[in-house]
Amino acid sequence: MKLTEKIGLAALHRFDPETAHGLSIKALKSGLAPAPGPITSPRLQTELAGLKLPNPVGLAAGFDKNGEVLTPLSRAGFGFIEVGAVTPRPQPGNPKPRLFRLTEDKAAINRFGFNNEGMEVMARRLADRPKNAVIGLNLGANKDSDDRPGDFAKVLAHCAEYLDFATVNVSSPNTEKLRDLQGKAALSALLGGVIETRDALARPLPVFLKIAPDLTEAELEDIAAVARETGVDAVIATNTTLSRDGLLSTHKDEMGGLSGAPLFERSTRVLAQLSQLTNGTIPLIGVGGISSAEQAYAKICAGASAVQFYTAMVYGGISLAADIAHGLDDLLARDGFDNVSQAVGSKRKDWL
């Protein structure tokens, strides 16, 4: 991390977390961010569900909820970017405060509740997206919707023209009963509707499913079966957790989803289990607790074809994207892999 970025992060941490996040978006708009461009090499080049990525290190949904800084993010070193979550209608989300730094734990708790400006605004911003980047959208449902499964398909249909992939997010703990949609029957119906909408598009695109880390083995088996049956193109494992095991921060008992360092082992175990259940038939994206190249590599060796991170930037800055990509290249070379695909699942048994 450069000195200027370190100073900037220290300044941001003087503000409450949500204000600091807003200021970081403004800083990106102003060009105050590293811009190394796409980080790539023959080892890092990755194909994921038909998408050609310069490297397998992605930005997780939640950082750029409303697609405000697509161009600067595309220059920050990420191999792909996911924005949102976005719902059909704008909604304010849950009351503030709703974001908490757990500095001692290198973590965060949020209970945003899908606050966003809605699919109309997102579509307008996506229309001006950088063309040389891989950009996806996290689909959400309005809190007061009478047809939550239909909301996902509605957002997809409205924004698909400008997307490279879309993610069905049924794993946020901050919208009441949303995680109920992870049940086998409900999930099968929801994904069936989204896939049907996708297949009717002029330019069909990959559809991913994002799951929670707080699933039983039986629930994971059901999700693997539904993913195979519905033809989902990849599974993102995982979203935030409701667990509070081992936390030190005074904010540890706040309601919401926990992300960051404490999630790493839990989410990686779920990833490895899902990799075993799907036996390589569905690409997996590993998320949860990544803050270094070594941790990104561990996710890949546990079964992920690509990875995403977000919370680590609160503590390590946006330059982490390039640092992790370069470090991952070095680790692949060290272990004799010619391409990241050769490392996928190579140490899965260590996590089972």
Side-chain angles (χ1 to χ4, degrees):
M1 189 195 310
K2 291 182 179 178
L3 180 61
T4 51
E5 189 174 15
K6 192 174 289 189
I7 292 169
L9 280 175
L12 285 174
H13 281 220
R14 292 178 177 271
F15 294 90
D16 74 86
E18 191 162 354
T19 299
H21 181 79
L23 290 170
S24 69
I25 295 291
K26 288 182 179 178
L28 283 169
K29 286 181 178 178
S30 303
L32 300 175
I39 307 298
T40 193
S41 75
R43 274 185 296 268
L44 291 176
Q45 289 170 5
T46 302
E47 184 162 325
L48 174 70
L51 302 171
K52 296 189 183 303
L53 311 180
N55 71 64
V57 181
L59 175 65
F63 179 80
D64 189 6
K65 286 179 176 291
N66 295 299
E68 298 178 81
V69 285
L70 296 170
T71 296
L73 286 175
S74 73
R75 297 172 180 162
F78 293 103
F80 62 110
I81 297 159
E82 186 174 342
V83 296
V86 166
T87 53
R89 290 174 284 107
Q91 62 181 23
N94 294 323
K96 298 179 182 179
R98 55 195 179 180
L99 177 62
F100 305 88
R101 284 188 211 99
L102 283 67
T103 304
E104 300 92 332
D105 303 296
K106 291 288 190 289
I109 290 174
N110 90 81
R111 50 173 182 261
F112 281 119
F114 283 173
N115 57 310
N116 73 99
E117 296 175 8
M119 67 182 186
E120 301 281 351
V121 170
M122 177 60 85
R124 288 198 295 272
R125 290 185 179 138
L126 285 168
D128 291 327
R129 54 161 284 177
K131 303 303 179 190
N132 61 343
V134 177
I135 297 175
L137 178 62
N138 194 283
L139 313 175
N142 281 117
K143 184 177 181 178
D144 60 353
S145 175
D146 294 328
D147 180 17
R148 285 186 180 174
D151 278 9
F152 293 93
K154 189 180 294 184
V155 177
L156 174 61
H158 192 76
C159 298
E161 179 183 353
Y162 313 111
L163 298 173
D164 298 302
F165 68 92
T167 298
V168 175
N169 184 3
V170 292
S171 51
S172 169
N174 301 316
T175 297
E176 188 180 358
K177 296 186 178 179
L178 183 72
R179 284 191 173 189
D180 291 352
L181 294 174
Q182 290 179 123
K184 189 171 185 179
L187 185 61
S188 183
L190 185 157
L191 288 173
V194 171
I195 297 293
E196 185 178 343
T197 299
R198 186 275 306 274
D199 290 346
L201 296 171
R203 182 182 59 86
L205 72 167
V207 169
F208 302 165
L209 169 66
K210 190 167 188 175
I211 65 169
D214 307 319
L215 297 166
T216 65
E217 191 168 334
E219 288 169 333
L220 267 179
E221 289 174 1
D222 285 346
I223 282 173
V226 171
R228 282 193 298 265
E229 291 163 7
T230 57
V232 164
D233 296 281
V235 178
I236 301 177
T238 66
N239 209 324
T240 57
T241 182
L242 293 172
S243 170
R244 297 292 187 267
D245 293 346
L247 297 181
L248 302 172
S249 170
T250 56
H251 294 303
K252 64 184 179 182
D253 295 322
E254 291 288 347
M255 290 179 61
L258 173 73
S259 61
L263 184 56
F264 179 75
E265 291 201 9
R266 175 185 288 263
S267 62
T268 309
R269 283 196 300 272
V270 169
L271 168 72
Q273 288 176 288
L274 194 58
S275 175
Q276 184 177 53
L277 287 167
T278 56
N279 197 28
T281 58
I282 301 172
L284 306 178
I285 300 169
V287 193
I290 295 172
S291 62
S292 68
E294 289 77 13
Q295 289 174 316
Y297 190 42
K299 296 273 191 190
I300 289 165
C301 293
S305 295
V307 299
Q308 292 176 314
F309 73 97
Y310 164 16
T311 300
M313 293 196 300
V314 173
Y315 302 101
I318 198 169
S319 63
L320 268 177
D323 291 346
I324 290 175
H326 284 305
L328 182 57
D329 198 15
D330 292 341
L331 290 166
L332 291 164
R334 181 198 70 187
D335 290 350
F337 293 117
D338 296 322
N339 183 263
V340 65
S341 62
Q342 297 173 356
V344 175
S346 59
K347 296 183 179 179
R348 182 178 68 192
K349 65 180 183 300
D350 293 349
W351 291 93
L352 295 173

